[in-house]
Amino acid sequence: MKISIYPTNDDMSRAAADLVAVYLSVKPKSLIVFPSGESPTGMLKYLIQYAKAGKADFSQCTIIGLDEWVGMDERDYGSCKHYLHTNFFDHLDFDPERVVMFDAKAEDLTAECERINHFISSHGGLDIMIVGIGMNGHLGLNEPGTPFDLYAHLSELAPITVEVGQKYFKQETALTQGITLGLKHFSEAKWAVLIASGEKKAGIIAESLQSEMSTAVPASILQTIKNARILLDEGAASQLKHSS
């Protein structure tokens, strides 16, 4: 587990984009997981700049979506698909065949999880899996209590996730379940990457990285992942002991 701390969110975002660009230069056919939400927005802006400037080549890689609210797709404002299309895919000439995301409107969501699991395993596993962190320590929609050994699965959303999730929608929206890559995917990725910014995340970052590991705090799995890379701005790192 390597922790890197940057002065600002912008610096952290650029470092995350650099990490992706460097990996792509070594392995162009990578499988990369992008999250949605506030945390990756700056990183995606830099990656768009890099792609347009010829500093990052996405022509051979495959992007996999981290999660989705059950019952939503890219036409739903506030959905994870809508976010990634709006903030990334729509800005580049991206081959739709190289975008693999959950169909959260599928009739059989268990089969949908199996489809994503099979795609990942049949393509040699994930190269980079980037996640943010929820206020309750969730990664993706792996809520507190989620076993560390699960692959893609359905998730019953915690009350705080439902509450915080409202900020992504124009009006109050019923959220009950999510479909998400699992913590086992995260632990098996060649690079497991956490990005976080702001003092509001400082408490859960410190608890996840420096308190006893427990499924009650899903992000505490990072303590077991040797190849984990944790990118924080100074606000998010402000409660870490002996941070440097």
Side-chain angles (χ1 to χ4, degrees):
M1 181 174 72
K2 179 181 179 181
I3 302 174
S4 300
I5 301 170
Y6 302 90
T8 68
N9 177 45
D10 185 68
D11 294 318
M12 182 275 291
S13 298
R14 179 163 23 202
D18 290 345
L19 182 153
V20 173
V22 168
Y23 198 100
L24 280 173
S25 70
V26 176
K27 187 178 179 182
K29 295 184 178 180
S30 297
L31 261 62
I32 302 176
V33 174
F34 282 156
S36 57
E38 294 177 340
S39 297
T41 301
M43 174 192 72
L44 295 176
K45 287 180 179 177
Y46 276 111
L47 286 174
I48 291 167
Q49 292 178 20
Y50 291 175
K52 291 183 175 180
K55 297 179 180 179
D57 182 4
F58 289 94
S59 64
Q60 298 182 64
C61 75
T62 299
I63 304 297
I64 298 176
L66 175 60
D67 52 21
E68 187 57 272
W69 311 111
V70 167
M72 297 189 189
D73 61 22
E74 64 273 12
R75 294 167 293 184
D76 294 296
Y77 184 94
S79 70
C80 304
K81 280 186 175 181
H82 183 273
Y83 171 89
L84 284 175
H85 279 277
T86 302
N87 290 279
F88 190 66
F89 300 128
D90 291 352
H91 299 269
L92 301 174
D93 184 18
F94 217 97
D95 181 358
E97 294 295 318
R98 297 192 176 279
V99 177
V100 177
M101 304 182 78
F102 287 107
D103 177 2
K105 290 186 173 181
E107 290 187 11
D108 188 339
L109 292 172
T110 299
E112 183 63 10
C113 291
E114 293 171 355
R115 178 182 73 86
I116 296 293
N117 287 337
H118 176 72
F119 182 90
I120 292 171
S121 63
S122 65
H123 287 76
L126 297 172
D127 289 286
I128 305 175
M129 182 168 170
I130 303 172
V131 300
I133 185 171
M135 298 301 293
N136 61 358
H138 75 206
L139 303 178
L141 290 174
N142 292 280
E143 299 283 29
T146 301
F148 289 154
D149 61 354
L150 283 187
Y151 288 108
H153 61 97
L154 288 176
S155 169
E156 297 296 326
L157 302 178
I160 191 170
T161 300
V162 174
E163 178 184 343
V164 173
Q166 298 303 318
K167 67 185 177 183
Y168 301 120
F169 300 93
K170 294 179 179 179
Q171 57 191 19
E172 188 167 345
T173 301
L175 302 172
T176 57
Q177 288 185 307
I179 186 168
T180 184
L181 296 183
L183 296 172
K184 187 71 168 175
H185 282 127
F186 193 55
S187 64
E188 290 182 350
K190 295 177 180 66
W191 282 9
V193 182
L194 172 70
I195 56 177
S197 64
E199 291 186 5
K200 66 181 180 181
K201 296 292 178 71
I204 193 61
I205 287 291
E207 183 178 3
S208 299
L209 303 184
Q210 297 185 331
S211 294
E212 184 177 354
M213 191 177 78
S214 167
T215 58
V217 183
S220 66
I221 194 174
L222 282 154
Q223 297 180 39
T224 70
I225 304 176
K226 293 182 179 180
N227 61 340
R229 287 162 168 77
I230 299 159
L231 282 60
L232 310 171
D233 69 1
E234 289 183 353
S238 60
Q239 292 186 35
L240 290 175
K241 299 173 184 176
H242 311 298
S243 60
S244 60

